[in-house]
Amino acid sequence: MDYKIEYPKKNEAVITFTIPKAEYEADIEAAKKATGSEDPAVAQEYALAQEGGKVFTEAAKEHTLKLATQPAFLSEADANGNVQVTLTCTLVPEVTLPAYTGLNFEKQPITVSEEEVLQNVMGRINQTNLFEPLPEDAVAEDGNQVVIDFVGEKDGAAFEGGSANDYPLVLGSHTFIPGFEDQLIGVKAGDERSVEVVFPSDYFEASLAGQPVIFKVTVKSVQKAIVPELNDEFIKKMNLEGCSTVDELKAKIREELTQMKTEQEENRLAMAILTRVAEGAQMDIPAAMIDSQVSQHMEQYENQLKQYGMSFDDFLKASKQTAEEFRARLVPEAENELRSALVLDAIASAEQIGADEKDLAKEYELLSTVYNFPPEQLKMFIPQEAVAAQITQRKTLEFLKANNTKKD
């Protein structure tokens, strides 16, 4: 399709083209089938997006355009039924880089004190809940752990998800339905007991919400908590891989702390170098690009607040600010993030840093272990372009560290 491209101002391209009436009508019919909607507005939006995407792809290839935000669409039918389309495209700005090698940053030495090691060892020990069996005639008390088999029945029939074997339950932990744990106070190993409870009215499984049920429970053992102690005996009971003594646990903790601090220092060094380069770079970031970045942050904040059961409006009232004031506070952070990202992109381009097929394959293998999903199927959900961009960014940061760190 023929198109016209103009650059009315810096970092902006305006692409105009015409969709002939017959072609547009065919596009609308195809859009109805694709969207499954008879709503004219939905079909029109889909059809214009499809045609606009094809035209922009052609224009981007021919004129080396790189979008900073999604294009703005305007369309208008003329007297003959042809549709005039205008795409206003905000483009990624050009970046003039300062010197980005030979900056001689110093890497800070990594130290792990004995006090830090001991503090972390004690934390690991105190967070470990261990239990040991009591004599068979011992009576379960609050704070004891009982190991039980149970079957939940509603109206005399077992219900799905209501059964388990060798389940460890700490009495008084309030992890089961209210009333369940209380009815096991006083049981002994070998006891069988019918526990009658009522599911909470807001229980997630609708068929059980507010319903009375009976759990038939068999007690396998009653156990008491072991008091945490810094000695080899307790460490052995913790059943840690490669650690059966206090000294071995200390060595493991020291290694973990050293690795963590090393990674933190590597990240600090990379960010310090990148910040220095970004501060010296010259670029005119379009307002629309900054606004888009701010909107992403706003959305993230709203989602986080929802997780804590708080609406964004309630947050604004509690913090005594308007949405506009909150947005304004996010602008400097958004601009700095964009500067850093644009600088990394410019350096990667200048140094021809990118992700090859081996890099992508390795990254998808890593992601498959994280998400427990086959690599080939992951490619359907995580586009290769996004994965390649992350790899390129990491490689560029490694390049900056390698070329700006003072040698020992």
Side-chain angles (χ1 to χ4, degrees), residues 105-400:
F105 274 72
E106 289 193 16
K107 187 180 289 188
Q108 301 300 316
I110 305 301
T111 59
V112 177
S113 69
E114 188 63 29
E115 183 181 357
E116 287 178 282
V117 172
L118 184 58
Q119 185 178 13
N120 277 269
V121 167
M122 292 307 300
R124 187 77 62 90
I125 288 173
N126 289 327
Q127 289 170 10
T128 302
N129 297 317
L130 296 178
F131 293 85
E132 59 185 3
L134 288 167
E136 288 191 4
D137 60 349
V139 174
E141 300 176 353
D142 193 43
N144 286 157
Q145 177 171 274
V146 291
V147 178
I148 57 176
D149 294 344
F150 60 85
V151 176
E153 295 183 353
K154 179 178 178 290
D155 300 327
F159 57 86
E160 187 176 354
S163 304
N165 292 322
D166 296 321
Y167 190 94
L169 174 63
V170 178
L171 302 183
S173 63
H174 306 294
T175 54
F176 264 39
I177 306 164
F180 187 101
E181 296 168 25
D182 296 339
Q183 295 179 56
L184 294 181
I185 297 291
V187 297
K188 295 183 294 187
D191 282 356
E192 295 182 356
R193 184 164 293 190
S194 292
V195 175
E196 299 183 18
V197 292
V198 177
F199 274 96
S201 59
D202 60 351
Y203 193 65
F204 72 91
E205 175 54 56
S207 64
L208 295 174
Q211 297 298 307
V213 295
I214 295 175
F215 285 93
K216 294 183 177 178
V217 180
T218 301
V219 182
K220 310 288 272 300
S221 71
V222 178
Q223 304 174 346
K224 70 172 183 178
I226 302 174
V227 178
E229 292 184 85
L230 183 61
N231 56 40
D232 291 351
E233 184 181 356
F234 189 82
I235 302 301
K236 198 172 293 183
K237 290 176 180 176
M238 288 173 69
N239 198 27
L240 297 171
E241 185 177 352
C243 296
S244 57
T245 67
V246 172
D247 287 342
E248 287 173 349
L249 180 55
K250 283 184 175 180
K252 180 181 177 67
I253 295 291
R254 182 179 293 279
E255 183 181 343
E256 290 175 354
L257 288 174
T258 300
Q259 181 179 349
M260 180 188 73
K261 288 191 172 188
T262 299
E263 290 175 359
Q264 289 175 341
E265 174 55 20
E266 290 293 323
N267 290 336
R268 183 206 66 80
L269 182 63
M271 289 303 104
I273 296 169
L274 177 57
T275 299
R276 171 80 65 82
V277 177
E279 287 173 349
Q282 296 179 18
M283 67 190 83
D284 292 320
I285 304 177
M289 197 174 183
I290 296 172
D291 190 59
S292 176
Q293 186 78 355
V294 169
S295 293
Q296 289 182 34
H297 280 295
M298 292 279 283
E299 187 176 343
Q300 289 170 0
Y301 275 109
E302 289 192 49
N303 290 335
Q304 288 173 1
L305 288 167
K306 284 179 184 176
Q307 292 177 3
Y308 293 100
M310 190 177 194
S311 72
F312 189 62
D313 286 340
D314 289 338
F315 164 74
L316 291 174
K317 289 176 184 176
S319 57
K320 297 180 181 179
Q321 59 184 322
T322 65
E324 291 73 22
E325 289 170 338
F326 186 73
R327 271 188 89 88
R329 290 190 176 93
L330 297 178
V331 170
E333 179 185 357
E335 189 168 359
N336 286 335
E337 288 172 348
L338 289 170
R339 287 185 69 84
S340 295
L342 290 167
V343 162
L344 280 176
D345 189 55
I347 293 173
S349 179
E351 298 294 333
Q352 297 184 325
I353 299 170
D356 57 26
E357 290 301 319
K358 287 184 179 178
D359 293 327
L360 287 167
K362 185 177 179 181
E363 191 75 6
Y364 275 112
E365 284 292 339
L366 178 62
L367 290 170
S368 73
T369 62
V370 174
Y371 294 106
N372 194 27
F373 217 68
E376 288 305 314
Q377 292 184 34
L378 268 178
K379 291 177 183 178
M380 298 169 61
F381 303 102
I382 308 177
Q384 290 198 26
E385 295 80 5
V387 174
Q390 290 183 342
I391 295 170
T392 301
Q393 193 173 80
R394 286 204 303 268
K395 281 186 166 185
T396 308
L397 286 170
E398 289 300 321
F399 169 87
L400 286 174

Side-chain angles (χ1 to χ4, degrees), residues 17 209 402:
F17 61 95

